[in-house]
Structure formats: C-alpha cells, structure tokens
Amino acid sequence: MKQANALITGIDGAVGAYLARLLDARGVQVLGVGGSAALMPLGIADSVTMIDAADVTAFVSDGGAATVFAIAGDDPALAEAVLAAAAAAAGTRLCHITDLASLAVPQVRAMVARVAAWRGQGRLATNALLGAHDSRLGAHDTLPARIIRAVARQEPLEITESGPVDWGWTPEYVDAVIRLAALETPADLIIGSGHTLTSAEIAHHALAYFKTPDSSLITIRPGDSAPPAPINVTALKTATGWSASTWGHDLVRALCEGAADRN
C-alpha cells in the first residue's frame, strides 16, 4: 500500500517522468501536473494521478502532498506558484529542480533565491541543481543525441568540440534528487557525476558501440569557448551518500541503447 504523496510539476519532461517512476517503485503515491506522454514509455502512466494546473495551488495549500518537486521546465511561473503554496503549508517539503544552465534565466534564479530564503526561515526547502544530463527521453538536440543519431544513421556530422563537460544519466540523477529532498538538514546542492566527456570521447564510444570503423563520419572542429567549470560532487556525496555509477563509456552505451526512441 502506498503511504506518502509526492506532487511533481513538469512531470511531462524527462526529469519529472524518471522521478515519478523511481518514487512509484518505492511505494510513493505520485501526483503530477503536465502531460502523461513521457510516462507512457516508462510504463507508469496508470500509476500517476494527474492534477489540473488550475487546481494545483489550492491542492498544495491544503497540504495535499507531503513533498512537492517543482521543475521549472517550460513553465517557471507555475513552478513558482506551486512552491509558494507549498511554503505556506506546514510540514510540506519543497524541492525545486532546475538545470544549472537554466540559472541564466532571471525568473529561475529568483526561484532559487526564494527557496533558499524559505529554508532560512526554517522550512524544509532545497534547490536541486542538475549538471548536464541526458537519457532516451531527453531532447533531440543535445550534444550526445546529435552525435549518437549521426553514428546510428551513418550520417556525416560536423560539430565543434565542447571541451570536457560533466554529462550524467537522467534516470540516475533523480535518485540524488529524492535523497536531497529528504535530508533532515536541507541544503542546496549541485548534482553531477564528477566525470567529464569531450565531444571526441562521445563520438569514439558511439562509433565503438555501433561498430562503425569510419571515424571520419564525425568531424570535430576545435572549439574557442571555455567549457563549464568542473562539478565538485564531494558535498553531494557527503550529504546524501549518493554518487554516480554511470559515466564515460557506460553513459554513452546507455544513450546508444536508447537511441531508437529518439530517432
């Protein structure tokens, strides 16, 4: 029997869908806001109760969810409204989830600051800041997706070297999010693998997976922009005990295995 409720806004994205699957597998009753298309390939569409966006603020304010996972996604205004409602509901845990890259959006930065301020007022509130990540449910235009699609289809591709980037596997990162949301002493933490991949390394592993001997299929031009700063995962592991187990060759192989779902 499922005991606890968790509400996820942005459940129609990769992070929300994988988060819902993991929570459901752990016996949590999951409620969602957004479409169910991303839940269908994961086999959990019938396990999630969908709530209309127009009703979600009142639902949260009434204490309808023990934990609220608010994913900014394409609708940061909704995520912000839900977080504000949850902040007013005694005992509700708040977890705002966003990609590090989204911090360039002023509204997302403002949400991060508000969540941190609520925590300073004694609320169980945290920001889960995700480094670059990908999965078979991910966007079609990510760097790994573009490289893997080109190799799988045997289509020439010319790209610019990104430099070493900490890429992670979305289905694995959501475990870190859940652990972070449940901390007795909440904190804002960055979720990353602690390992990097260059464009050339992604191409090398993809060519090997698809047994493509023609390495000239992928042309990589030198890049002139600095790659993102390395992610220090020490604080995350110390606080939650979580560390990534899928990176490098294993990550690219997992993405190659799911390539057909994105082609």
Side-chain angles (χ1 to χ4, degrees):
M1 180 177 180
K2 296 183 178 181
Q3 301 294 327
N5 292 338
L7 174 68
I8 304 173
T9 71
I11 201 168
D12 46 349
V15 174
Y18 283 118
L19 180 63
R21 182 177 69 171
L22 188 54
L23 287 168
D24 178 71
R26 294 179 178 177
V28 177
Q29 182 180 1
V30 180
L31 304 98
V33 182
S36 60
L39 303 177
M40 296 179 68
L42 299 182
I44 60 166
D46 294 336
S47 301
V48 176
T49 300
M50 304 303 293
I51 299 177
D52 190 82
D55 301 326
V56 69
T57 302
F59 176 83
V60 173
S61 298
D62 290 339
T67 304
V68 171
F69 296 92
I71 304 171
D74 295 328
D75 195 351
L78 173 61
E80 185 172 7
V82 171
L83 284 170
T92 300
R93 286 181 173 269
L94 318 175
C95 184
H96 171 230
I97 307 168
T98 188
D99 292 337
L100 284 175
S102 296
L103 294 180
V105 179
Q107 190 170 356
V108 174
R109 288 201 309 273
M111 267 196 288
V112 170
R114 289 185 69 185
V115 171
W118 286 327
R119 184 173 61 254
Q121 298 167 7
R123 298 310 311 274
L124 298 172
T126 186
N127 288 294
L129 308 174
L130 308 184
H133 56 92
D134 207 354
S135 68
R136 68 187 177 103
L137 297 182
H140 287 223
D141 60 353
T142 67
L143 177 65
R146 292 172 59 211
I147 293 175
I148 290 169
R149 181 168 57 250
V151 176
R153 295 179 176 180
Q154 296 292 287
E155 297 175 350
L157 176 67
E158 184 175 316
I159 57 175
T160 300
E161 176 58 69
S162 63
V165 175
D166 187 333
W167 281 99
W169 197 35
T170 311
E172 192 168 72
Y173 277 20
V174 295
D175 180 35
V177 171
I178 292 173
R179 295 189 190 200
L180 181 57
L183 287 178
E184 184 175 344
T185 304
D188 293 349
L189 291 173
I190 296 174
I191 297 173
S193 72
H195 304 271
T196 61
L197 279 168
T198 64
S199 302
E201 288 170 333
I202 295 172
H204 171 77
H205 295 316
L207 289 164
Y209 177 87
F210 289 107
K211 297 181 172 56
T212 301
D214 185 9
S215 60
S216 65
L217 191 67
I218 307 296
T219 302
I220 301 177
R221 304 184 303 268
D224 55 6
S225 59
I231 294 176
N232 186 337
V233 298
T234 302
L236 176 67
K237 185 171 183 178
T238 300
T240 66
W242 182 90
S243 59
S245 59
T246 305
W247 67 80
H249 170 267
D250 290 338
L251 171 62
V252 177
R253 182 177 61 188
L255 297 176
C256 288
E257 289 171 350
D261 294 320
R262 288 203 278 190
N263 284 342

